Amino acid sequence: MIAGPTGVGKSSLAMDLAERLGGEIVSIDSVQIYRGLDIGSAKPSAADRERIPHHLIDRLDPTQDCNVAEFAALALQAIDEISARGAVPIAVGGTNLYVRVLVHGIFDAPDASPEIRARHESDLATYGVAHLHDELRSVDAILADRIHPNDFIRISRGLEVYELTGRPLSEHQSEHAFKTPNVEALKIAVNRPREELYQRIDARVDAMLTAGFVDEVRALAERGLVGLKPLQSLGYRHIGSYLAGDVEFEEAVRTLKRDTRRFAKQQLSWLRSEPNVVWTLADVDLDELERDVRAFIEERQPVLAWSDPSIASL
Protein backbone atom coordinates (compact mmCIF):
# COMPACT_ATOMS: atom_id res chain seq x y z
CA MET A 1 0.00 0.00 0.00
CA ILE A 2 1.37 3.38 -1.05
CA ALA A 3 -0.03 6.51 0.60
CA GLY A 4 1.05 10.10 0.90
CA PRO A 5 -0.01 13.68 0.24
CA THR A 6 -1.54 14.76 -3.04
CA GLY A 7 1.00 15.58 -5.72
CA VAL A 8 3.87 13.71 -4.06
CA GLY A 9 4.27 11.09 -6.82
CA LYS A 10 2.46 8.05 -5.39
CA SER A 11 1.06 6.90 -8.73
CA SER A 12 4.37 7.04 -10.56
CA LEU A 13 6.14 5.11 -7.81
CA ALA A 14 3.34 2.53 -7.70
CA MET A 15 3.50 1.89 -11.44
CA ASP A 16 7.29 1.52 -11.37
CA LEU A 17 6.96 -0.97 -8.53
CA ALA A 18 4.09 -2.81 -10.23
CA GLU A 19 6.20 -3.33 -13.35
CA ARG A 20 8.97 -4.89 -11.30
CA LEU A 21 6.66 -7.11 -9.21
CA GLY A 22 4.03 -8.11 -11.73
CA GLY A 23 1.55 -6.01 -9.81
CA GLU A 24 -1.86 -4.47 -10.40
CA ILE A 25 -3.02 -1.21 -8.84
CA VAL A 26 -6.11 -0.72 -6.71
CA SER A 27 -7.04 2.97 -6.58
CA ILE A 28 -7.93 4.06 -3.06
CA ASP A 29 -9.41 7.36 -4.07
CA SER A 30 -12.91 8.56 -3.28
CA VAL A 31 -13.18 10.57 -6.52
CA GLN A 32 -11.37 8.47 -9.14
CA ILE A 33 -14.04 5.80 -8.72
CA TYR A 34 -16.52 8.11 -10.50
CA ARG A 35 -16.87 8.33 -14.27
CA GLY A 36 -16.37 11.76 -15.79
CA LEU A 37 -14.27 13.16 -12.93
CA ASP A 38 -10.97 12.69 -14.67
CA ILE A 39 -8.75 15.77 -14.70
CA GLY A 40 -9.63 17.06 -11.25
CA SER A 41 -9.02 13.68 -9.62
CA ALA A 42 -5.68 13.17 -11.41
CA LYS A 43 -7.06 9.92 -12.76
CA PRO A 44 -4.47 7.69 -14.44
CA SER A 45 -4.39 8.15 -18.18
CA ALA A 46 -5.40 5.54 -20.72
CA ALA A 47 -1.70 4.95 -21.38
CA ASP A 48 -1.06 4.38 -17.66
CA ARG A 49 -3.93 1.90 -17.48
CA GLU A 50 -2.64 0.09 -20.53
CA ARG A 51 0.81 -0.08 -18.95
CA ILE A 52 -0.47 -1.41 -15.59
CA PRO A 53 -3.96 -2.79 -14.83
CA HIS A 54 -5.88 -0.44 -12.54
CA HIS A 55 -8.97 -1.21 -10.45
CA LEU A 56 -11.74 0.94 -8.91
CA ILE A 57 -11.39 3.53 -11.67
CA ASP A 58 -14.63 4.65 -13.39
CA ARG A 59 -16.72 2.12 -11.47
CA LEU A 60 -19.61 4.42 -10.56
CA ASP A 61 -21.70 7.25 -11.98
CA PRO A 62 -21.51 10.49 -9.96
CA THR A 63 -25.17 10.02 -9.05
CA GLN A 64 -24.30 6.84 -7.12
CA ASP A 65 -23.28 7.08 -3.48
CA CYS A 66 -20.39 5.03 -2.13
CA ASN A 67 -19.57 5.14 1.56
CA VAL A 68 -16.33 4.00 3.11
CA ALA A 69 -17.58 0.51 4.00
CA GLU A 70 -18.86 -0.07 0.46
CA PHE A 71 -15.60 1.20 -1.00
CA ALA A 72 -13.58 -1.11 1.24
CA ALA A 73 -15.70 -4.08 0.15
CA LEU A 74 -15.03 -3.28 -3.52
CA ALA A 75 -11.32 -2.87 -2.83
CA LEU A 76 -11.09 -6.16 -0.92
CA GLN A 77 -12.85 -7.93 -3.79
CA ALA A 78 -10.33 -6.48 -6.25
CA ILE A 79 -7.42 -7.49 -4.01
CA ASP A 80 -8.75 -11.05 -3.79
CA GLU A 81 -9.13 -11.26 -7.57
CA ILE A 82 -5.63 -9.89 -8.19
CA SER A 83 -4.11 -12.31 -5.69
CA ALA A 84 -6.01 -15.24 -7.25
CA ARG A 85 -4.30 -14.44 -10.57
CA GLY A 86 -0.91 -14.65 -8.88
CA ALA A 87 -0.31 -10.92 -9.23
CA VAL A 88 0.66 -8.48 -6.49
CA PRO A 89 -2.07 -6.06 -5.37
CA ILE A 90 -0.74 -2.54 -4.81
CA ALA A 91 -3.27 -0.22 -3.19
CA VAL A 92 -2.53 3.43 -3.95
CA GLY A 93 -4.32 6.59 -2.94
CA GLY A 94 -4.67 9.67 -0.82
CA THR A 95 -8.05 9.03 0.80
CA ASN A 96 -6.53 8.06 4.12
CA LEU A 97 -9.74 7.04 5.86
CA TYR A 98 -10.32 4.52 3.06
CA VAL A 99 -6.76 3.28 3.46
CA ARG A 100 -7.27 2.72 7.18
CA VAL A 101 -10.64 1.02 6.84
CA LEU A 102 -9.44 -1.18 3.99
CA VAL A 103 -6.62 -2.57 6.10
CA HIS A 104 -8.09 -2.50 9.60
CA GLY A 105 -11.87 -2.56 9.26
CA ILE A 106 -14.39 -0.13 10.68
CA PHE A 107 -16.38 0.10 13.88
CA ASP A 108 -20.12 -0.60 13.82
CA ALA A 109 -21.37 2.94 13.32
CA PRO A 110 -25.03 3.97 13.61
CA ASP A 111 -27.02 4.28 10.39
CA ALA A 112 -27.33 7.70 8.81
CA SER A 113 -30.27 9.83 9.91
CA PRO A 114 -32.02 11.66 7.04
CA GLU A 115 -33.54 14.08 9.55
CA ILE A 116 -30.17 15.05 11.03
CA ARG A 117 -28.58 15.34 7.59
CA ALA A 118 -31.41 17.59 6.42
CA ARG A 119 -30.92 19.81 9.46
CA HIS A 120 -27.21 20.09 8.79
CA GLU A 121 -27.86 20.99 5.15
CA SER A 122 -30.23 23.72 6.31
CA ASP A 123 -27.60 25.02 8.74
CA LEU A 124 -25.02 24.90 5.95
CA ALA A 125 -27.20 27.11 3.75
CA THR A 126 -27.96 29.50 6.61
CA TYR A 127 -24.71 29.75 8.55
CA GLY A 128 -22.01 28.24 6.33
CA VAL A 129 -19.69 25.28 6.72
CA ALA A 130 -17.36 27.09 9.18
CA HIS A 131 -20.21 27.26 11.68
CA LEU A 132 -20.74 23.50 11.45
CA HIS A 133 -17.01 22.86 11.80
CA ASP A 134 -17.02 24.97 14.96
CA GLU A 135 -19.95 22.92 16.27
CA LEU A 136 -18.00 19.74 15.62
CA ARG A 137 -14.98 21.15 17.44
CA SER A 138 -17.15 21.85 20.49
CA VAL A 139 -18.13 18.17 20.78
CA ASP A 140 -15.18 16.38 19.12
CA ALA A 141 -12.05 18.51 18.86
CA ILE A 142 -9.91 15.52 17.87
CA LEU A 143 -12.08 14.75 14.85
CA ALA A 144 -12.35 18.44 13.93
CA ASP A 145 -8.55 18.63 13.71
CA ARG A 146 -8.57 15.72 11.26
CA ILE A 147 -11.26 17.09 8.97
CA HIS A 148 -10.79 19.92 6.48
CA PRO A 149 -12.98 22.90 7.50
CA ASN A 150 -14.80 22.72 4.15
CA ASP A 151 -15.52 18.97 4.23
CA PHE A 152 -19.24 19.23 4.95
CA ILE A 153 -19.92 15.51 4.48
CA ARG A 154 -17.48 14.36 7.14
CA ILE A 155 -18.31 17.26 9.47
CA SER A 156 -21.98 16.32 9.26
CA ARG A 157 -21.20 12.66 9.94
CA GLY A 158 -19.15 13.56 13.02
CA LEU A 159 -21.98 15.66 14.42
CA GLU A 160 -24.49 12.96 13.51
CA VAL A 161 -22.63 10.18 15.33
CA TYR A 162 -22.27 12.38 18.41
CA GLU A 163 -26.00 13.16 18.42
CA LEU A 164 -27.01 9.53 17.87
CA THR A 165 -24.62 7.95 20.38
CA GLY A 166 -23.83 10.73 22.82
CA ARG A 167 -20.10 10.12 22.29
CA PRO A 168 -17.54 11.62 19.90
CA LEU A 169 -16.83 9.73 16.71
CA SER A 170 -13.10 9.96 17.46
CA GLU A 171 -13.75 8.14 20.74
CA HIS A 172 -15.55 5.31 18.92
CA GLN A 173 -12.65 5.10 16.48
CA SER A 174 -10.09 5.06 19.28
CA GLU A 175 -11.87 2.22 21.06
CA HIS A 176 -12.10 0.23 17.87
CA ALA A 177 -8.47 1.20 17.19
CA PHE A 178 -8.76 -0.63 13.88
CA LYS A 179 -7.36 -3.67 15.67
CA THR A 180 -8.73 -6.43 13.45
CA PRO A 181 -6.96 -6.32 10.08
CA ASN A 182 -8.77 -7.24 6.89
CA VAL A 183 -5.48 -7.82 5.09
CA GLU A 184 -1.77 -8.04 5.82
CA ALA A 185 -0.34 -4.87 4.33
CA LEU A 186 3.02 -3.21 4.04
CA LYS A 187 2.01 0.45 4.38
CA ILE A 188 4.45 2.83 2.72
CA ALA A 189 4.03 6.60 3.14
CA VAL A 190 5.77 8.78 0.57
CA ASN A 191 6.86 12.37 1.22
CA ARG A 192 8.99 15.21 -0.16
CA PRO A 193 10.49 18.36 1.38
CA ARG A 194 7.62 20.77 1.99
CA GLU A 195 8.61 23.52 -0.45
CA GLU A 196 9.21 20.97 -3.18
CA LEU A 197 5.82 19.37 -2.51
CA TYR A 198 4.04 22.73 -2.57
CA GLN A 199 5.72 23.68 -5.86
CA ARG A 200 4.55 20.39 -7.34
CA ILE A 201 1.01 21.03 -6.12
CA ASP A 202 0.90 24.49 -7.71
CA ALA A 203 2.30 23.12 -10.96
CA ARG A 204 -0.22 20.29 -10.88
CA VAL A 205 -3.14 22.71 -10.57
CA ASP A 206 -1.77 24.73 -13.50
CA ALA A 207 -1.44 21.54 -15.56
CA MET A 208 -5.02 20.51 -14.72
CA LEU A 209 -6.31 23.86 -15.94
CA THR A 210 -4.27 23.61 -19.13
CA ALA A 211 -5.66 20.12 -19.70
CA GLY A 212 -9.24 21.43 -19.67
CA PHE A 213 -10.39 21.14 -16.05
CA VAL A 214 -12.80 24.08 -16.39
CA ASP A 215 -14.48 22.45 -19.38
CA GLU A 216 -14.71 19.16 -17.45
CA VAL A 217 -16.53 20.84 -14.56
CA ARG A 218 -18.74 22.80 -16.96
CA ALA A 219 -19.82 19.57 -18.66
CA LEU A 220 -20.67 18.02 -15.29
CA ALA A 221 -22.62 21.13 -14.31
CA GLU A 222 -24.60 20.96 -17.55
CA ARG A 223 -25.64 17.45 -16.52
CA GLY A 224 -27.01 18.88 -13.26
CA LEU A 225 -24.42 17.12 -11.07
CA VAL A 226 -22.92 20.09 -9.22
CA GLY A 227 -24.71 19.47 -5.92
CA LEU A 228 -23.68 15.82 -5.69
CA LYS A 229 -21.07 14.63 -3.19
CA PRO A 230 -18.27 13.92 -5.73
CA LEU A 231 -18.60 17.46 -7.09
CA GLN A 232 -18.03 18.90 -3.61
CA SER A 233 -14.52 17.48 -3.57
CA LEU A 234 -11.29 19.46 -3.79
CA GLY A 235 -10.98 21.28 -7.09
CA TYR A 236 -14.46 20.56 -8.37
CA ARG A 237 -16.11 22.82 -5.83
CA HIS A 238 -13.58 25.60 -6.54
CA ILE A 239 -14.10 25.58 -10.29
CA GLY A 240 -17.82 25.06 -9.72
CA SER A 241 -17.92 28.28 -7.69
CA TYR A 242 -16.19 30.14 -10.52
CA LEU A 243 -18.62 28.79 -13.12
CA ALA A 244 -21.56 29.74 -10.89
CA GLY A 245 -20.27 33.32 -10.82
CA ASP A 246 -19.51 33.29 -7.10
CA VAL A 247 -15.79 34.09 -7.48
CA GLU A 248 -13.42 35.36 -10.15
CA PHE A 249 -11.28 32.80 -11.97
CA GLU A 250 -8.02 34.03 -10.44
CA GLU A 251 -9.49 33.77 -6.93
CA ALA A 252 -10.79 30.26 -7.61
CA VAL A 253 -7.32 29.18 -8.74
CA ARG A 254 -5.62 30.85 -5.78
CA THR A 255 -7.89 29.20 -3.24
CA LEU A 256 -7.66 25.85 -5.03
CA LYS A 257 -3.87 25.90 -4.72
CA ARG A 258 -4.07 27.06 -1.11
CA ASP A 259 -6.63 24.44 -0.12
CA THR A 260 -4.72 21.69 -1.91
CA ARG A 261 -1.60 22.57 0.06
CA ARG A 262 -3.66 22.52 3.26
CA PHE A 263 -5.12 19.16 2.28
CA ALA A 264 -1.62 17.76 1.73
CA LYS A 265 -0.65 18.95 5.21
CA GLN A 266 -3.74 17.27 6.65
CA GLN A 267 -2.95 14.02 4.81
CA LEU A 268 0.53 13.98 6.30
CA SER A 269 -0.81 14.65 9.79
CA TRP A 270 -3.19 11.70 9.42
CA LEU A 271 -0.45 9.37 8.21
CA ARG A 272 1.79 10.27 11.15
CA SER A 273 -0.90 8.81 13.42
CA GLU A 274 -1.48 5.74 11.25
CA PRO A 275 -0.12 2.54 12.84
CA ASN A 276 2.73 0.56 11.29
CA VAL A 277 3.60 2.99 8.51
CA VAL A 278 7.09 3.09 7.00
CA TRP A 279 8.27 6.34 5.43
CA THR A 280 10.29 7.07 2.34
CA LEU A 281 11.10 9.90 -0.03
CA ALA A 282 9.44 9.76 -3.43
CA ASP A 283 12.83 9.17 -5.10
CA VAL A 284 13.50 6.01 -3.08
CA ASP A 285 15.98 3.54 -4.56
CA LEU A 286 13.71 1.19 -6.50
CA ASP A 287 16.08 -1.75 -6.18
CA GLU A 288 15.99 -1.55 -2.37
CA LEU A 289 12.25 -0.98 -2.38
CA GLU A 290 11.63 -3.97 -4.63
CA ARG A 291 13.87 -6.20 -2.53
CA ASP A 292 12.09 -5.38 0.70
CA VAL A 293 8.60 -5.56 -0.76
CA ARG A 294 9.44 -9.01 -2.10
CA ALA A 295 10.68 -9.96 1.36
CA PHE A 296 7.36 -8.83 2.82
CA ILE A 297 5.39 -10.80 0.24
CA GLU A 298 7.44 -13.96 0.68
CA GLU A 299 8.40 -13.85 4.36
CA ARG A 300 6.43 -10.99 6.01
CA GLN A 301 9.80 -9.73 7.28
CA PRO A 302 11.04 -6.82 5.17
CA VAL A 303 14.49 -5.33 5.75
CA LEU A 304 13.22 -1.78 5.16
CA ALA A 305 16.68 -0.35 4.66
CA TRP A 306 15.17 2.58 2.77
CA SER A 307 12.66 3.51 5.50
CA ASP A 308 13.31 6.72 7.47
CA PRO A 309 10.80 7.87 10.15
CA SER A 310 12.22 11.42 10.04
CA ILE A 311 10.74 11.81 6.55
CA ALA A 312 7.31 12.13 8.18
CA SER A 313 8.39 15.49 9.61
CA LEU A 314 9.53 17.14 6.40
Side-chain angles (χ1 to χ4, degrees), residues 167-223:
R167 300 171 60 202
L169 175 56
S170 62
E171 189 175 302
H172 289 286
Q173 292 172 336
S174 178
E175 284 185 358
H176 176 272
F178 303 95
K179 293 172 183 174
T180 306
N182 289 323
V183 294
E184 289 185 85
L186 174 59
K187 293 186 286 186
I188 302 168
V190 183
N191 200 8
R192 291 178 183 270
R194 180 167 296 185
E195 287 306 312
E196 180 184 343
L197 176 63
Y198 286 179
Q199 289 170 8
R200 286 173 60 92
I201 287 171
D202 289 351
R204 181 175 180 173
V205 170
D206 291 337
M208 287 162 50
L209 294 168
T210 300
F213 187 31
V214 174
D215 290 337
E216 176 174 286
V217 180
R218 182 180 290 113
L220 293 165
E222 289 172 352
R223 292 173 55 193

Side-chain angles (χ1 to χ4, degrees), residues 1-244:
M1 180 168 288
I2 298 177
T6 185
V8 77
K10 298 184 295 293
S11 296
S12 176
L13 178 61
M15 285 190 289
D16 288 342
L17 188 60
E19 280 191 328
R20 288 169 171 249
L21 297 173
E24 300 182 23
I25 291 175
V26 180
S27 169
I28 309 300
D29 188 289
S30 61
V31 183
Q32 290 184 358
I33 195 171
Y34 291 105
R35 291 184 286 272
L37 281 72
D38 302 330
I39 298 171
S41 69
K43 195 174 288 181
S45 66
D48 289 338
R49 284 181 263 180
E50 184 175 344
R51 174 185 168 195
I52 301 293
H54 283 66
H55 303 266
L56 300 197
I57 301 286
D58 293 338
R59 282 289 298 269
L60 301 176
D61 187 82
T63 58
Q64 296 175 270
D65 192 23
C66 184
N67 62 38
V68 61
E70 292 166 339
F71 192 102
L74 290 172
L76 288 170
Q77 179 183 0
I79 288 169
D80 286 344
E81 292 170 355
I82 293 166
S83 299
R85 288 192 290 273
V88 177
I90 304 175
V92 185
T95 307
N96 289 329
L97 176 62
Y98 286 18
V99 169
R100 180 175 292 180
V101 170
L102 171 60
V103 177
H104 299 288
I106 191 169
F107 80 95
D108 189 16
D111 292 336
S113 165
E115 294 80 10
I116 294 175
R117 295 286 176 92
R119 181 170 7 104
H120 291 165
E121 289 171 0
S122 176
D123 288 347
L124 175 67
T126 303
Y127 305 111
V129 69
H131 170 79
L132 288 166
H133 193 259
D134 288 342
E135 279 196 7
L136 177 63
R137 183 171 298 282
S138 71
V139 298
D140 192 346
I142 294 173
L143 185 65
D145 285 340
R146 295 175 183 165
I147 294 178
H148 191 280
N150 291 331
D151 191 342
F152 168 71
I153 300 297
R154 292 182 63 206
I155 292 170
S156 175
R157 181 55 173 164
L159 289 168
E160 180 183 52
V161 169
Y162 181 80
E163 183 169 340
L164 291 172
T165 68
R167 300 171 60 202
L169 175 56
S170 62
E171 189 175 302
H172 289 286
Q173 292 172 336
S174 178
E175 284 185 358
H176 176 272
F178 303 95
K179 293 172 183 174
T180 306
N182 289 323
V183 294
E184 289 185 85
L186 174 59
K187 293 186 286 186
I188 302 168
V190 183
N191 200 8
R192 291 178 183 270
R194 180 167 296 185
E195 287 306 312
E196 180 184 343
L197 176 63
Y198 286 179
Q199 289 170 8
R200 286 173 60 92
I201 287 171
D202 289 351
R204 181 175 180 173
V205 170
D206 291 337
M208 287 162 50
L209 294 168
T210 300
F213 187 31
V214 174
D215 290 337
E216 176 174 286
V217 180
R218 182 180 290 113
L220 293 165
E222 289 172 352
R223 292 173 55 193
L225 303 177
V226 169
L228 298 179
K229 179 180 175 181
L231 273 296
Q232 299 305 308
S233 59
L234 189 67
Y236 287 96
R237 68 172 181 269
H238 294 80
I239 300 304
S241 293
Y242 157 65
L243 292 174

